[in-house]
Amino acid sequence: MQHAKSFSSIDPRTGAERRRFLDATTADLDKALAGAAEAFPGWGGFDPAPRVALLRRIAEELTARRAELVEFAEAETGLPEPRLSGEVARTVFQLTQFARLIERGDHFDAVIDPATAATPDIRRVNVPIGPVAVFAASNFPFAFSVAGTDTAAALAAGCPVIVKGHPSHPETAELVASLVRSAIAATGAPSGVFHLLQESGLEVARKLVTAPEIAAVAFTGSLAGGRAIFDLAAARPRPIPVYAEMGSLNPVFLLPGALAGDPEGLADGYTDSLTTANGQLCTKPGVLFVPAGEAGDRFVARAAQRLRDHPPGVMLNASMWERLADGVAETVARPDVRLLAGGTVLDGTGGALPDGAWFSFPASLVETDLITFLADPALREERFGPFGVVVRYDEPGELTVAASSLDGHLTGTIHLGTDDTETARRLAGELAARVGRLVWNGWPTGVAVTDAMHHGGPYPATTNAAATSVGTNGIGRFLRPVAYQNSPQDLLPLPLRDANPLRVRRKVAGEVGTEAIITTEPADAARGAVLLPSLPAKPELTAEAARVIGEVPRYLGVPFVSPIFQALANYPDYLVPAWDRFKPVIGSPEFRTAAAGLGVPVELLPGREESLADAGADIRLYTSTFHRLLPELLLLASCWYRGLTVGAETTPALPDPGPRGIPPEALNITPDGSTPGEELARVYEEIRALHDHPRVLSYYRAIGNRPGLLPEVWKRLEPIARSAEYAVAYDQVLAKAAAAAARLPVPVVGTPHADDVRAILALFRTRLIPSLLLDTAVVLALLGEDAAIVTAS
């Protein structure tokens, strides 16, 4: 009878065995593959909400168990507690970062090119590629392992994940996997979206890569391991992409001017970077180019001394310890290579050491010249661990030759002084063709988890230089685009439908926004889901339309014309008869009573202690005036919207009340027409995103006239506008407006542009005016004004 294979968890600090683990079997793999294939169709849908919930719940589980996770990982890796605690926090951030990304819908990259006379209607969106195999890294037990960046990106994309755990930290992997499964159960996600397979050998790993259910592979590790996986995947009957990160020298170039100030301080920064995580980082500065001369000598002497004084660190496992020892010994034995620090194993056997470390190795540094470096390929091989190569050069012009000799790497770094600009420019040109990230006057260790980060590089650093394993762009590895041509609306994916029910950002006819677009589908129009992508441009007014625009302020009793009238002025065949028929209704006591009843719930308003006492009288006046207009506009838009579909064919016999307002010049506060500064632009964009406005309306631009006020207003207003109470108040205002409009006499006004007009009215009635009414009420309360509650006055 054949016994199941097993392996042990080892404490690298002592060499002690902790626990034994059974290797996964082919039956375990088959079960995981079947579960992933079954889960994929539902998990890969276009509604991101289930995936958002799972990612955030995993983050919560990791946060709650951080101390326990760190304890396990420290015992299995020898990495210190602060580093591991920070890595858990980074993993939590990665998960929530991807949750925010897909919640916005940015990963869809939706593009709509409406039909023209020469081209069909084309719409493109990203879809998940299928189940993904993730190979956990040895040196990051959290951030690049079971629930790390590859897993987070794949789950966010809609791809089930099968993780091949790293045998260096199986206990940590098992605990993290249990937290992921707990989050799956808590959120109701399909159980097949995640599996962990633990194995010390390669049998299951090879079968995982070649399994027909697997659509892509993500790997972080050695060049040999990554290339083996890449070759396996390429040899499949249907090859699949492999996103392998396989190591890097991360060359650093010190130009002469960089050493002019403080070469010793620069050396300290270099040695700190070289020994971070005991040199077991893919971004370790493995080769450093230093100019010849006194300043360079001081730099090298300081770096060598600091490394000699640095206590030996623990390698992650026995194989890494052995490879580093052999690699350093081989390098030191090369001709014209001089050992500056370290270079030998303390007792040569891996036995118990004076400091109690088992797989310990001293920080090591060698020095050579540029000619030797260029002639000897062995000096350009990565030695994973606390080991660096210093290359001395004579002339700065030699560095472009050095850079051109390099293979692909993750990073390249240039340190320069004020007189090095031209040399740096030429060097950067060479490096940009060979690295994925160019660092200036810094060090490559420490990879920021940001949207702009690119953690990749040309081969052999990775198998796909266009892909990143850090940052939100990493989700692109597990998505593929699909284009839809002349598709019926109800057969389109949600992000591509005219109505844009998910409110994702899309590029429509070259313009980016979240707005819905006018549809040609009558069924969509009947649902009221048809909205314009933006308000029409200011029209050239006909004589009759100009008359209407001139009358509106006086009849509504406000000194300016709302964009709703400017938008409708694009359709004078509707605006003119609609205004003339509704003018008596607008002037009726019933209309004014109905408008006055569209009040704001008192519980929505902030307390007086939050008031903005420094706001000027002009802001109070403008806000009060604008707020006074909004209920009438909301009621008017509701009536006009109904007037396109229901009501009597004739105008009710009501007398024209005549102008009842005030002359426009009395309170004509003109919004600032200049381009907003950076801070105002940010606030305007946040307002648009929150309220789904197609543009920032005149009210916000008017507040923007007062430097510093709008950002302060928005800081107070935004939390309220995002609250549940605000949403309830919003619905209440809309419901009251619809009920009031139903009680008023509403004449029918026909137009050949009914869909366009309905879209404009729906835009104002259901999106802009209610939020503006609530916003201005809150602002008035912040200003300490009682006018926040709409009354009949």
Side-chain angles (χ1 to χ4, degrees), residues 117-267:
T119 60
D121 182 279
I122 301 291
R123 306 178 183 220
R124 190 189 72 213
V125 70
N126 287 335
V127 301
I129 58 175
V132 170
V134 170
F135 283 74
S138 61
N139 58 336
F140 280 89
F142 301 115
F144 284 87
S145 288
V146 174
T149 180
D150 296 328
T151 298
L155 289 175
C159 301
V161 175
I162 300 176
V163 176
K164 162 61 174 66
H166 198 282
S168 285
H169 39 73
E171 289 183 85
T172 306
E174 184 180 74
L175 178 56
V176 174
S178 71
L179 301 184
V180 174
R181 287 191 288 267
S182 175
I184 288 172
T187 58
S191 60
V193 301
F194 172 83
H195 291 85
L196 169 66
L197 301 174
Q198 304 249 50
E199 180 193 32
S200 59
L202 298 174
E203 179 184 1
V204 169
R206 291 192 182 101
K207 291 180 178 179
L208 175 62
V209 173
T210 56
E213 294 88 348
I214 296 299
V217 178
F219 170 88
T220 300
S222 68
L223 175 59
R227 184 57 196 250
I229 290 174
F230 180 85
D231 291 343
L232 275 175
R236 291 171 40 140
R238 293 182 179 177
I240 59 173
V242 172
Y243 301 104
E245 180 201 315
M246 302 175 294
S248 174
L249 274 182
N250 306 297
V252 178
F253 297 82
L254 301 186
L255 301 187
L259 296 174
D262 181 15
E264 287 83 2
L266 200 59

Side-chain angles (χ1 to χ4, degrees), residues 8-174:
S8 295
S9 168
I10 303 294
D11 187 334
R13 301 168 299 185
T14 63
E17 179 178 312
R18 290 174 54 82
R19 274 183 54 194
R20 294 203 65 79
F21 290 82
L22 291 176
D23 279 23
T25 65
T26 54
D28 296 326
L29 173 62
D30 290 343
K31 181 180 179 181
L33 291 168
E38 181 181 358
F40 174 61
W43 189 245
F46 286 100
D47 182 3
R51 302 195 291 277
V52 170
L54 177 60
L55 293 171
R56 288 184 170 149
R57 184 56 183 259
I58 295 173
E60 292 170 2
E61 296 277 353
L62 292 175
T63 300
R65 303 280 290 277
R66 177 156 64 175
E68 184 181 2
L69 289 165
V70 168
E71 180 183 354
F72 274 81
E74 188 175 9
E76 288 191 299
T77 66
L79 294 170
E81 184 276 334
R83 147 69 198 270
L84 292 170
S85 183
E87 191 182 330
V88 175
R90 170 177 168 165
T91 306
V92 168
F93 179 76
Q94 290 169 172
L95 289 159
T96 55
Q97 185 186 48
F98 280 114
R100 288 193 298 270
L101 175 79
I102 64 174
E103 199 168 35
R104 295 193 305 264
D106 290 353
H107 66 297
F108 290 128
D109 192 23
V111 180
I112 299 176
D113 290 322
T116 68
T119 60
D121 182 279
I122 301 291
R123 306 178 183 220
R124 190 189 72 213
V125 70
N126 287 335
V127 301
I129 58 175
V132 170
V134 170
F135 283 74
S138 61
N139 58 336
F140 280 89
F142 301 115
F144 284 87
S145 288
V146 174
T149 180
D150 296 328
T151 298
L155 289 175
C159 301
V161 175
I162 300 176
V163 176
K164 162 61 174 66
H166 198 282
S168 285
H169 39 73
E171 289 183 85
T172 306
E174 184 180 74

Side-chain angles (χ1 to χ4, degrees), residues 404-675:
S404 65
S405 74
L406 298 171
D407 287 327
H409 298 281
L410 295 172
T411 74
T413 299
I414 299 174
H415 285 261
L416 74 159
T418 55
D419 297 329
D420 297 322
T421 302
E422 191 53 42
T423 300
R425 181 179 290 110
R426 293 194 298 270
L427 180 57
E430 288 289 344
L431 280 179
R434 292 165 175 80
V435 304
R437 176 164 58 106
L438 193 58
V439 181
W440 295 91
N441 293 329
W443 301 102
T445 44
V447 184
V449 185
T450 69
D451 292 338
M453 176 53 66
H454 185 79
H455 189 60
Y459 186 86
T462 71
T463 52
N464 189 318
T468 179
S469 59
V470 178
T472 53
N473 213 35
I475 198 173
R477 296 172 295 167
F478 311 120
L479 297 166
R480 65 181 181 87
V482 175
Y484 293 77
Q485 181 170 324
N486 291 335
S487 176
Q489 283 286 310
D490 57 352
L491 297 181
L492 280 169
L494 294 178
L496 297 182
R497 295 187 183 180
D498 285 353
N500 194 11
L502 297 179
R503 283 290 178 265
V504 301
R505 282 194 289 189
R506 315 183 297 184
K507 182 185 287 186
V508 180
E511 298 293 328
V512 177
T514 60
E515 298 80 16
I517 62 176
I518 297 174
T519 183
T520 56
E521 297 290 331
D524 280 351
R527 290 199 301 270
V530 187
L531 302 176
L532 296 178
S534 63
L535 296 181
K538 187 175 181 179
E540 290 294 331
L541 296 179
T542 65
E544 282 292 275
R547 172 182 64 82
V548 172
I549 296 299
E551 288 184 355
V552 167
R554 293 178 291 125
Y555 275 84
L556 289 177
V558 293
F560 49 85
V561 178
S562 165
I564 185 174
F565 298 102
Q566 296 284 3
L568 291 173
N570 285 277
Y571 307 97
D573 62 338
Y574 170 77
L575 176 63
V576 175
W579 175 254
D580 288 340
R581 294 189 187 186
F582 275 89
K583 197 159 46 176
V585 178
I586 295 170
S588 68
E590 293 83 0
F591 183 92
R592 298 181 66 180
T593 300
L598 302 181
V600 177
V602 177
E603 59 268 18
L604 179 69
L605 304 178
R608 290 296 178 86
E609 66 276 7
E610 301 180 30
S611 63
L612 299 168
D614 61 341
D618 55 341
I619 301 300
R620 286 187 165 84
L621 180 59
Y622 197 91
T623 305
S624 298
T625 305
F626 198 90
H627 186 64
R628 177 180 169 190
L629 164 69
L630 293 170
E632 295 183 338
L633 285 180
L634 176 57
L635 187 59
L636 182 60
S638 299
C639 290
W640 279 4
Y641 191 86
R642 288 188 69 240
L644 287 169
T645 56
V646 299
E649 289 292 343
T650 59
T651 303
L654 294 171
D656 185 341
R660 66 179 182 86
I662 52 180
E665 58 272 14
L667 294 173
N668 194 14
I669 302 172
T670 306
D672 183 7
S674 63
T675 302

